[in-house]
Amino acid sequence: LARGVKQPLPSDSFDMTKEQITEFGLFCNYNQTRPESRKGDFPSFLIKPTQRVCKYPLLLRELIKSTDESNPDHQLLQQAYDIICSTVQQIDETKRDIENMKFFD
């Protein structure tokens, strides 16, 4: 998320009828019972991508350590590491901003 960009409110983005809301609720409940979902609820699925992003710097750091500096991939791994670290920092800052907004509401 870019700093200073106003995010739309859910009411601005999702104009759903009561029937659609009911159908979506049924869809979420059905999928929660499937073995593939591991009984995760909808909010846990929404947070998963953010949680996984925070693991990528660790993986990339280990790959960099085990890749010889003469290997052409070493520089690319370093670039990927720098980019993902910046992304994680932005996520952390946005999360902090949101938590601060909740505190003042």
Side-chain angles (χ1 to χ4, degrees), residues 59-81:
L59 172 65
L60 287 168
R61 187 172 55 211
E62 292 304 311
L63 285 171
I64 290 167
K65 284 181 187 177
S66 63
T67 303
D68 191 75
E69 287 189 30
S70 63
N71 186 316
D73 291 336
H74 190 273
Q75 184 179 2
L76 294 173
L77 287 168
Q78 186 62 51
Q79 289 173 352
Y81 177 78

Side-chain angles (χ1 to χ4, degrees), residues 1 4 6 14 24 31 39 44-45 47-48 55 63 65 72 76 83-84 88 98 100:
L1 297 172
K6 183 178 181 261
F14 302 105
F24 183 70
N31 282 301
K39 298 184 181 179
S44 69
F45 283 112
I47 194 68
K48 272 197 188 303
K55 294 179 182 180
L63 285 171
K65 284 181 187 177
L76 294 173
I83 290 168
I84 199 66
V88 168
I98 290 169
N100 288 337

Side-chain angles (χ1 to χ4, degrees):
L1 297 172
R3 288 189 121 347
V5 174
K6 183 178 181 261
Q7 296 298 312
L9 297 171
S11 60
D12 295 337
S13 302
F14 302 105
D15 192 19
M16 297 173 65
T17 65
K18 287 183 181 182
E19 181 181 325
Q20 289 171 320
I21 292 170
T22 301
E23 286 178 21
F24 183 70
L26 293 171
F27 169 79
C28 290
N29 290 337
Y30 167 75
N31 282 301
Q32 188 174 353
T33 63
R34 296 181 55 93
E36 299 88 3
S37 73
R38 298 185 185 128
K39 298 184 181 179
D41 60 352
F42 188 65
S44 69
F45 283 112
L46 292 176
I47 194 68
K48 272 197 188 303
T50 303
Q51 292 170 332
R52 288 187 178 155
V53 153
C54 296
K55 294 179 182 180
Y56 295 150
L58 303 172
L59 172 65
L60 287 168
R61 187 172 55 211
E62 292 304 311
L63 285 171
I64 290 167
K65 284 181 187 177
S66 63
T67 303
D68 191 75
E69 287 189 30
S70 63
N71 186 316
D73 291 336
H74 190 273
Q75 184 179 2
L76 294 173
L77 287 168
Q78 186 62 51
Q79 289 173 352
Y81 177 78
D82 294 341
I83 290 168
I84 199 66
C85 285
S86 174
T87 302
V88 168
Q89 183 179 2
Q90 288 176 339
I91 289 169
D92 288 344
E93 288 174 8
T94 302
K95 182 180 173 189
R96 220 175 359 264
D97 290 347
I98 290 169
E99 288 171 353
N100 288 337
M101 281 189 267
K102 288 180 184 177
F103 180 74
F104 291 112
D105 283 345

